[in-house]
Amino acid sequence: APLDQAVAEAEISLGEEAPVDEGGYADFVTEGQVSASEDDFEIKDGVLIKYKGTGGKVIIPASVQVIGHDAFSNSKVTSVVFHDNVTKIVYNAFYGCAQLTSVTLSANLKVIEHRAFQGCKMLPSIKLPEGLEVIENAVFLGCSSLTSIDIPSSVTSLENETFSGCTALRSVSIPGSITSIADSVFYNCKNLTQ
């Protein structure tokens, strides 16, 4: 049965969790939004290879440890919540997700590879977790709605074009742990004041 029909038949009230299915993943309803179902993901050996859903709010299943390259690229997701089992986001994972407005990263995330969030032009903010070690080049390139960012003290370098084209970016908190900043990290960040 389609997801909407299954939710209606279960008579789930807002904010209440649905029973966990055999795959260990629960769909839930919050403020009228239904998360993606396990069927919307292609997962192999802990790697989310491809998101096959139609968009909207997505909650990454607990079985996922790595978000694969191009897994969500150019999809219509609007909100993504990571399970704390995710430790790595591979290159281009959310490339061109132009409708993405909210991201809650895993507390155990260690690596964000290049161009992972490039072109997410509606993303106004993202909280990078303490313990994050690597932010590769052009991760937030063209995220033109991003207004501020705090770099965790566990990061030691900022690579080429990390925030290039983030035209709304006004403030960046750079910790003392940063020992290397590439020349073009903040290229075309014309509103950056601090």
PDB file of all heavy atoms in Angstrom, residues 175-191:
ATOM      1  N   PRO A 175      38.097  28.480  14.796  1.00  0.00           N
ATOM      2  CA  PRO A 175      38.806  28.163  16.046  1.00  0.00           C
ATOM      3  C   PRO A 175      40.325  28.231  15.888  1.00  0.00           C
ATOM      4  O   PRO A 175      40.847  28.224  14.768  1.00  0.00           O
ATOM      5  CB  PRO A 175      38.356  26.723  16.328  1.00  0.00           C
ATOM      6  CG  PRO A 175      38.122  26.143  14.974  1.00  0.00           C
ATOM      7  CD  PRO A 175      37.565  27.280  14.147  1.00  0.00           C
ATOM      8  N   GLY A 176      41.019  28.277  17.005  1.00  0.00           N
ATOM      9  CA  GLY A 176      42.477  28.315  17.005  1.00  0.00           C
ATOM     10  C   GLY A 176      43.114  27.056  16.453  1.00  0.00           C
ATOM     11  O   GLY A 176      44.300  27.047  16.127  1.00  0.00           O
ATOM     12  N   SER A 177      42.350  25.978  16.322  1.00  0.00           N
ATOM     13  CA  SER A 177      42.876  24.717  15.792  1.00  0.00           C
ATOM     14  C   SER A 177      43.183  24.786  14.300  1.00  0.00           C
ATOM     15  O   SER A 177      43.933  23.965  13.771  1.00  0.00           O
ATOM     16  CB  SER A 177      41.873  23.580  16.040  1.00  0.00           C
ATOM     17  OG  SER A 177      40.646  23.852  15.374  1.00  0.00           O
ATOM     18  N   ILE A 178      42.634  25.779  13.612  1.00  0.00           N
ATOM     19  CA  ILE A 178      42.854  25.921  12.166  1.00  0.00           C
ATOM     20  C   ILE A 178      44.281  26.396  11.912  1.00  0.00           C
ATOM     21  O   ILE A 178      44.678  27.469  12.360  1.00  0.00           O
ATOM     22  CB  ILE A 178      41.847  26.901  11.528  1.00  0.00           C
ATOM     23  CG1 ILE A 178      40.412  26.412  11.700  1.00  0.00           C
ATOM     24  CG2 ILE A 178      42.174  27.145  10.058  1.00  0.00           C
ATOM     25  CD1 ILE A 178      40.031  25.201  10.887  1.00  0.00           C
ATOM     26  N   THR A 179      45.039  25.579  11.196  1.00  0.00           N
ATOM     27  CA  THR A 179      46.430  25.920  10.893  1.00  0.00           C
ATOM     28  C   THR A 179      46.629  26.265   9.418  1.00  0.00           C
ATOM     29  O   THR A 179      47.682  26.751   9.033  1.00  0.00           O
ATOM     30  CB  THR A 179      47.369  24.750  11.266  1.00  0.00           C
ATOM     31  OG1 THR A 179      46.956  23.579  10.548  1.00  0.00           O
ATOM     32  CG2 THR A 179      47.329  24.475  12.759  1.00  0.00           C
ATOM     33  N   SER A 180      45.598  26.004   8.584  1.00  0.00           N
ATOM     34  CA  SER A 180      45.731  26.247   7.151  1.00  0.00           C
ATOM     35  C   SER A 180      44.390  26.691   6.572  1.00  0.00           C
ATOM     36  O   SER A 180      43.369  26.019   6.778  1.00  0.00           O
ATOM     37  CB  SER A 180      46.197  24.958   6.464  1.00  0.00           C
ATOM     38  OG  SER A 180      46.143  25.078   5.073  1.00  0.00           O
ATOM     39  N   ILE A 181      44.402  27.832   5.869  1.00  0.00           N
ATOM     40  CA  ILE A 181      43.207  28.332   5.181  1.00  0.00           C
ATOM     41  C   ILE A 181      43.602  28.617   3.740  1.00  0.00           C
ATOM     42  O   ILE A 181      44.471  29.452   3.483  1.00  0.00           O
ATOM     43  CB  ILE A 181      42.656  29.612   5.840  1.00  0.00           C
ATOM     44  CG1 ILE A 181      42.237  29.332   7.291  1.00  0.00           C
ATOM     45  CG2 ILE A 181      41.471  30.156   5.041  1.00  0.00           C
ATOM     46  CD1 ILE A 181      41.738  30.554   8.042  1.00  0.00           C
ATOM     47  N   ALA A 182      42.985  27.932   2.812  1.00  0.00           N
ATOM     48  CA  ALA A 182      43.276  28.134   1.385  1.00  0.00           C
ATOM     49  C   ALA A 182      42.827  29.531   0.944  1.00  0.00           C
ATOM     50  O   ALA A 182      41.923  30.125   1.543  1.00  0.00           O
ATOM     51  CB  ALA A 182      42.582  27.062   0.553  1.00  0.00           C
ATOM     52  N   ASP A 183      43.451  30.048  -0.098  1.00  0.00           N
ATOM     53  CA  ASP A 183      43.187  31.410  -0.570  1.00  0.00           C
ATOM     54  C   ASP A 183      41.729  31.668  -0.942  1.00  0.00           C
ATOM     55  O   ASP A 183      41.204  32.733  -0.688  1.00  0.00           O
ATOM     56  CB  ASP A 183      44.069  31.730  -1.779  1.00  0.00           C
ATOM     57  CG  ASP A 183      45.523  31.871  -1.400  1.00  0.00           C
ATOM     58  OD1 ASP A 183      45.807  32.143  -0.213  1.00  0.00           O
ATOM     59  OD2 ASP A 183      46.380  31.708  -2.289  1.00  0.00           O
ATOM     60  N   SER A 184      41.074  30.718  -1.568  1.00  0.00           N
ATOM     61  CA  SER A 184      39.734  30.965  -2.107  1.00  0.00           C
ATOM     62  C   SER A 184      38.601  30.432  -1.224  1.00  0.00           C
ATOM     63  O   SER A 184      37.480  30.290  -1.694  1.00  0.00           O
ATOM     64  CB  SER A 184      39.632  30.341  -3.499  1.00  0.00           C
ATOM     65  OG  SER A 184      39.868  28.939  -3.417  1.00  0.00           O
ATOM     66  N   VAL A 185      38.864  30.182   0.039  1.00  0.00           N
ATOM     67  CA  VAL A 185      37.843  29.631   0.943  1.00  0.00           C
ATOM     68  C   VAL A 185      36.593  30.495   0.963  1.00  0.00           C
ATOM     69  O   VAL A 185      35.474  29.986   0.927  1.00  0.00           O
ATOM     70  CB  VAL A 185      38.399  29.477   2.381  1.00  0.00           C
ATOM     71  CG1 VAL A 185      37.285  29.173   3.371  1.00  0.00           C
ATOM     72  CG2 VAL A 185      39.426  28.369   2.421  1.00  0.00           C
ATOM     73  N   PHE A 186      36.756  31.819   1.016  1.00  0.00           N
ATOM     74  CA  PHE A 186      35.623  32.733   1.137  1.00  0.00           C
ATOM     75  C   PHE A 186      35.422  33.582  -0.121  1.00  0.00           C
ATOM     76  O   PHE A 186      34.866  34.673  -0.058  1.00  0.00           O
ATOM     77  CB  PHE A 186      35.805  33.632   2.362  1.00  0.00           C
ATOM     78  CG  PHE A 186      35.898  32.857   3.649  1.00  0.00           C
ATOM     79  CD1 PHE A 186      37.113  32.727   4.304  1.00  0.00           C
ATOM     80  CD2 PHE A 186      34.782  32.243   4.188  1.00  0.00           C
ATOM     81  CE1 PHE A 186      37.211  32.008   5.485  1.00  0.00           C
ATOM     82  CE2 PHE A 186      34.865  31.516   5.366  1.00  0.00           C
ATOM     83  CZ  PHE A 186      36.080  31.404   6.024  1.00  0.00           C
ATOM     84  N   TYR A 187      35.830  33.059  -1.268  1.00  0.00           N
ATOM     85  CA  TYR A 187      35.690  33.807  -2.518  1.00  0.00           C
ATOM     86  C   TYR A 187      34.226  34.168  -2.767  1.00  0.00           C
ATOM     87  O   TYR A 187      33.318  33.337  -2.644  1.00  0.00           O
ATOM     88  CB  TYR A 187      36.235  32.984  -3.697  1.00  0.00           C
ATOM     89  CG  TYR A 187      36.087  33.688  -5.026  1.00  0.00           C
ATOM     90  CD1 TYR A 187      36.917  34.741  -5.365  1.00  0.00           C
ATOM     91  CD2 TYR A 187      35.089  33.300  -5.908  1.00  0.00           C
ATOM     92  CE1 TYR A 187      36.768  35.410  -6.572  1.00  0.00           C
ATOM     93  CE2 TYR A 187      34.937  33.947  -7.106  1.00  0.00           C
ATOM     94  CZ  TYR A 187      35.774  35.010  -7.440  1.00  0.00           C
ATOM     95  OH  TYR A 187      35.617  35.664  -8.634  1.00  0.00           O
ATOM     96  N   ASN A 188      33.975  35.439  -3.088  1.00  0.00           N
ATOM     97  CA  ASN A 188      32.649  35.970  -3.394  1.00  0.00           C
ATOM     98  C   ASN A 188      31.687  35.900  -2.209  1.00  0.00           C
ATOM     99  O   ASN A 188      30.476  35.812  -2.392  1.00  0.00           O
ATOM    100  CB  ASN A 188      32.044  35.292  -4.636  1.00  0.00           C
ATOM    101  CG  ASN A 188      30.962  36.143  -5.267  1.00  0.00           C
ATOM    102  OD1 ASN A 188      30.942  37.377  -5.101  1.00  0.00           O
ATOM    103  ND2 ASN A 188      30.035  35.506  -5.962  1.00  0.00           N
ATOM    104  N   CYS A 189      32.231  35.948  -1.003  1.00  0.00           N
ATOM    105  CA  CYS A 189      31.389  36.066   0.195  1.00  0.00           C
ATOM    106  C   CYS A 189      31.328  37.543   0.536  1.00  0.00           C
ATOM    107  O   CYS A 189      31.933  38.030   1.490  1.00  0.00           O
ATOM    108  CB  CYS A 189      31.976  35.252   1.355  1.00  0.00           C
ATOM    109  SG  CYS A 189      31.958  33.472   1.069  1.00  0.00           S
ATOM    110  N   LYS A 190      30.608  38.293  -0.264  1.00  0.00           N
ATOM    111  CA  LYS A 190      30.657  39.748  -0.237  1.00  0.00           C
ATOM    112  C   LYS A 190      30.039  40.375   1.003  1.00  0.00           C
ATOM    113  O   LYS A 190      30.243  41.551   1.264  1.00  0.00           O
ATOM    114  CB  LYS A 190      29.999  40.303  -1.502  1.00  0.00           C
ATOM    115  CG  LYS A 190      28.575  39.837  -1.744  1.00  0.00           C
ATOM    116  CD  LYS A 190      28.085  40.262  -3.100  1.00  0.00           C
ATOM    117  CE  LYS A 190      26.707  39.689  -3.376  1.00  0.00           C
ATOM    118  NZ  LYS A 190      26.308  39.885  -4.740  1.00  0.00           N
ATOM    119  N   ASN A 191      29.276  39.625   1.792  1.00  0.00           N
ATOM    120  CA  ASN A 191      28.673  40.176   3.010  1.00  0.00           C
ATOM    121  C   ASN A 191      29.385  39.729   4.287  1.00  0.00           C
ATOM    122  O   ASN A 191      28.927  40.023   5.383  1.00  0.00           O
ATOM    123  CB  ASN A 191      27.191  39.788   3.092  1.00  0.00           C
ATOM    124  CG  ASN A 191      26.364  40.531   2.074  1.00  0.00           C
ATOM    125  OD1 ASN A 191      26.426  41.752   2.000  1.00  0.00           O
ATOM    126  ND2 ASN A 191      25.612  39.807   1.269  1.00  0.00           N
TER     127      ASN A 191
END
